[in-house]
């Protein structure tokens, strides 16, 4: 197939398909819950690759059965299944690709599931009976059955409420004193966005009490998010703690079903071993994690400067706390998903550095081996802990480890190169595997495969053909995508760098992903596309990840340039006289910085949803890297693009959603104003009605075409 034939086939096909499939996320099973006996697996999935409505499903005895279909549960006065804003946290709104049943919770035996649909509370049993709606006091958020299934807790109007499974005795368990500022049972902005703590309450194993987060946002500055294209619609008000400003006040309370309530007495500050640094704040401002196991509640708290994390046990009768573990670091203490975890023996699972630069685990006083980079703790069956980890940073595998067993060593459960994760219960492990061939979900029992859960996502019309590379002296993990039609002697190709390159996310992975398909699509249009994970990205040790403390751009850009030159030395068809960068969010920030700081290397850029003014981003995320702006103002000035606007000499397109409540559109508007004031021409593409993710079909599909057109014209000058 020639270049023109390939480009003609895919110039519209992939962008439209990616938009219709919500980046190939529709039809993918997710949110697996395995019953303690391993007999039942609950999950969420749409019915196909273009169906945007999620249903609740059960896998049992080797077969799948739908438990709840929003279409069948629709009332006459209901809409077509859209999820009300109140049902989702801000983080979920920004990332949820479907509607319908988007989350659920179960009792301890996984025989009853509760979920919110259009603000209503629904429960369904796994025995085949139909879902049943339970009348509530109002719009329902985050319903969760008690462990025995007799009660359902839910949040309504900021109050934590309880209702019996039969729909009787609906009552408030914790009522906000100031409804305009205080909530019980919900996560605050920082916890949901930066700490990864989505929940705001936790049942006791006996079901007689709950550990509840109280959030007071009265001191937090407000933001008003609106869409200029819809001026008659009132703005949405968000309590947003920007860097250096006040956070919400979060406290924990023990609330008994019978009505009694006790405050948890969290420590006020870290001890004298709290490390020093450019900015030190030993006050515990963040409730990082919380849980309630058979030994009682366990919580972890983090200081405002993020250099100390203490794990605490809570006395469920008095609310008094005792320290179980302390961690300190001069940069920041990394929070590992799934930790802390307390095993039945009382052994604690916490992050640790077993040797060298490895980020591993300590399990009951013993550590995982050096060189095994732990990513996430998935759970435990008895004393055996399941987690994901990497020996090679581009691959993530599922492991298990019982540190107390004599001579036991971590056991790797997955073998095919890719990214694997799992859910566990009893003798059952549900392996969720993404590889270059696609995604599979395999059910194992006692180590043997007993079935699969269907993945109904569409395959991209463009097949990714990445070349896996290690580039430069730092062996930068990179993927190079070349046109399938390009042959030696066809001429040199313009180069398009398409990284994310920010904290917490890798793109150079052996998986068939939406970003790989997009990179190959750009390649088919005539580009050589290079994707590189440099310093600051996960998977390569503590020093690699924390090397961006105080400077989020210099090392990251250096790695992109080094990878570019190393790739061009190996593949002479790459034309270093025509180089562009495109990216979204941090990748957009990096793309804009590339043409500002290195116009000798980069000749054009597309910057989407770029956080150009770091003071506008939230406290926990931004202060982790740059400190407090009142104490370290120079780091914010050094990492802001606004003061560098006068440097622009290359074509730059700025793209931003007007309703973005993650990276506010103010980032783009302020940067554009600075460019205009400096007399620097640039292109601005505002996306009406769009938040941080572009989910509107026409907008998402046409955006790629507009980017392609802009880049081709810019590189042809």
């Amino acid at each position: 197939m020639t270049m023109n034939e390939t480009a003609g086939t895919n110039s519209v096909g992939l962008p439209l398909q990616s938009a219709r499939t919500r980046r190939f996320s529709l039809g993918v099973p997710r949110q697996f819950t395995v019953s303690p006996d391993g007999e039942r697996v609950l999950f969420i999935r749409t019915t196909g690759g273009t169906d945007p409505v999620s249903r609740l499903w059960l896998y049992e005895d080797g077969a799948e059965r739908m438990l709840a279909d929003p279409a069948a549960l629709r009332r006459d006065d209901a809409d077509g299944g859209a999820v009300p804003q109140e049902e989702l946290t801000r983080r979920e709104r920004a990332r949820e690709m479907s509607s319908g049943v988007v989350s659920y919770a179960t009792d301890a035996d996984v025989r009853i599931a509760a979920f919110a649909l259009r603000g209503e509370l629904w429960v369904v049993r796994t025995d085949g009976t139909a879902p049943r709606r339970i009348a509530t006091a109002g719009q329902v958020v985050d319903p969760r059955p008690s462990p025995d299934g007799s009660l359902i807790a839910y949040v309504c109007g900021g109050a934590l409420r309880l209702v019996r499974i039969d729909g009787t005795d609906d009552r408030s368990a914790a009522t906000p004193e100031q409804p305009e500022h205080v909530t019980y049972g919900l996560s605050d902005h920082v916890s949901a966005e930066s700490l990864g703590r989505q929940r705001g309450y936790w049942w006791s194993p006996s079901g007689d009490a709950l550990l509840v987060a109280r959030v007071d946002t009265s001191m937090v500055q407000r933001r008003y998010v609106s869409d200029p294209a819809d001026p008659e619609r009132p703005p949405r008000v968000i309590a947003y703690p920007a860097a250096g400003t006040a956070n919400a006040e979060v406290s924990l309370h023990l609330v008994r079903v019978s009505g009694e309530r006790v405050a948890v007495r969290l420590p006020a500050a870290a001890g004298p071993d709290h490390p020093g640094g450019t900015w030190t704040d030993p006050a515990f401002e963040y409730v990082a994690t919380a849980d309630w196991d058979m030994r009682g509640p366990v919580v972890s708290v983090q200081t405002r400067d993020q250099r100390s994390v203490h794990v605490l046990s809570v006395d469920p009768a008095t609310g008094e706390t005792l320290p179980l573990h302390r961690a300190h670091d001069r940069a920041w203490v990394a929070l590992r998903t799934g930790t802390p975890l307390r095993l039945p023996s009382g052994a604690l699972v916490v992050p640790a550095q077993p040797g060298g630069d490895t980020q591993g685990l300590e399990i009951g006083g013993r550590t995982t081996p050096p060189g095994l980079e732990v990513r996430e703790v998935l759970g435990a069956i008895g004393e055996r802990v399941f987690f994901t980890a990497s020996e090679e940073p581009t691959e993530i595998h599922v492991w298990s480890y019982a540190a107390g067993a004599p001579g036991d060593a971590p056991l790797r459960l997955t073998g095919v190169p890719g990214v694997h994760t799992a859910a566990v219960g009893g003798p059952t492990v549900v392996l969720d595997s993404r590889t270059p061939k696609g995604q599979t979900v395999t059910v194992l029992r006692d180590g043997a495969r007993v079935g699969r859960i269907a993945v109904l996502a569409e395959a991209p019309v463009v097949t990714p053909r990445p070349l896996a590379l290690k580039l430069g002296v730092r062996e930068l993990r990179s993927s190079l995508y070349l046109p399938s039609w390009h042959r030696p002697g066809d001429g040199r190709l313009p180069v398009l760098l398409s990284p994310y390159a920010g904290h917490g996310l890798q793109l150079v992975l052996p998986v068939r992903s939406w970003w790989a398909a997009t990179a190959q699509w750009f390649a088919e249009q005539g580009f050589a596309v290079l994707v590189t994970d440099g310093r600051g990205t996960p998977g390569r040790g503590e020093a690699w990840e924390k090397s961006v403390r105080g400077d989020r751009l210099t090392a990251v850009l250096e790695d992109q340039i080094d990878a570019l030159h190393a790739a061009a030395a190996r593949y002479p068809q790459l034309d270093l006289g025509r180089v562009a960068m495109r990216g979204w969010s941090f990748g957009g920030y990096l793309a804009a910085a590339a043409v500002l700081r290195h116009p000798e290397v980069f000749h054009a850029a597309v910057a989407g949803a770029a956080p150009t003014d770091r003071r506008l981003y939230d406290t926990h995320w931004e202060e982790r890297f740059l400190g407090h702006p009142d104490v370290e103002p120079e780091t914010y000035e050094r990492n802001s693009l606004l003061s560098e606007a006068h440097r622009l000499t290359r074509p730059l397109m700025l793209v931003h959603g007007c309703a973005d409540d993650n990276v506010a559109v103010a980032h783009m508007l302020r940067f554009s104003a600075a460019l205009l004031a400096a007399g620097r021409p640039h292109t601005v593409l505002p996306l009406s009605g769009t938040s941080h993710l572009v989910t509107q079909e026409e907008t998402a599909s046409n955006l790629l075409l507009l980017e392609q057109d802009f880049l081709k014209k810019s590189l042809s000058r």
Side-chain angles (χ1 to χ4, degrees), residues 84 115 120 430:
F115 57 92
E120 300 171 340
V430 179

Side-chain angles (χ1 to χ4, degrees), residues 28-54:
V28 176
R30 57 196 175 99
Q31 296 186 34
F32 300 101
T33 302
V34 185
S35 62
D37 59 9
E39 296 295 324
R40 293 169 301 286
V41 180
L42 266 63
F43 62 96
I44 285 173
R45 188 188 59 203
T46 71
T47 60
T50 57
D51 174 17
V53 180
S54 289

Side-chain angles (χ1 to χ4, degrees), residues 34-39 381 386 424-430 444-448:
V34 185
S35 62
D37 59 9
E39 296 295 324
I381 302 298
F386 292 80
V424 298
T428 299
V429 176
V430 179
L444 306 178
R445 186 160 298 144
D446 295 320

Side-chain angles (χ1 to χ4, degrees), residues 64-224:
E64 299 177 9
R65 175 163 52 88
M66 189 186 299
L67 291 181
D69 181 356
L73 303 181
R74 187 184 306 164
R75 293 165 55 193
D76 291 340
D77 59 344
D79 59 25
V83 183
Q85 296 278 309
E86 294 81 1
E87 284 184 24
L88 302 176
T89 68
R90 182 175 165 277
R91 183 183 179 92
E92 289 170 332
R93 285 198 300 272
R95 292 157 176 77
E96 181 55 52
M97 290 289 196
S98 67
S99 61
V101 182
V102 297
S103 64
Y104 68 96
T106 73
D107 64 335
D109 290 332
V110 192
R111 294 191 179 277
I112 296 171
F115 57 92
L117 183 65
R118 298 180 291 270
E120 300 171 340
L121 172 58
W122 291 82
V123 296
V124 63
R125 298 182 181 272
T126 59
D127 60 6
T129 56
R132 182 168 53 87
R133 188 174 69 88
I134 296 179
T136 56
Q139 290 271 329
V140 171
V141 181
D142 195 23
R144 295 184 175 273
S146 59
D148 66 0
S150 63
L151 294 169
I152 307 289
Y154 68 96
V155 180
C156 177
L160 180 68
R161 301 185 65 87
L162 301 174
V163 62
R164 293 189 181 279
I165 193 71
D166 62 5
T168 63
D169 195 22
D170 187 349
R171 64 193 188 279
S172 176
T175 303
E177 301 82 1
Q178 298 174 291
E180 67 275 21
H181 298 305
V182 175
T183 61
Y184 283 94
L186 294 178
S187 183
D188 61 293
H189 168 87
V190 163
S191 297
E193 283 292 314
S194 298
L195 298 173
R197 178 173 63 77
Q198 302 297 314
R199 297 178 58 181
Y201 69 92
W202 301 264
W203 278 103
S204 68
S206 62
D208 64 339
L210 303 99
L211 178 65
V212 183
R214 178 186 184 272
V215 175
D216 183 353
T217 63
S218 59
M219 66 291 296
V220 181
Q221 67 180 13
R222 264 48 180 177
R223 285 189 175 178
Y224 302 87

Side-chain angles (χ1 to χ4, degrees), residues 394-396 417-419 434-437 466 479 507-512:
T394 60
E395 297 183 22
I396 303 175
V419 173
R434 291 181 294 150
T435 71
K437 294 182 178 181
S479 297
L507 297 185
V508 183
L509 300 165
V511 299
R512 191 179 70 188

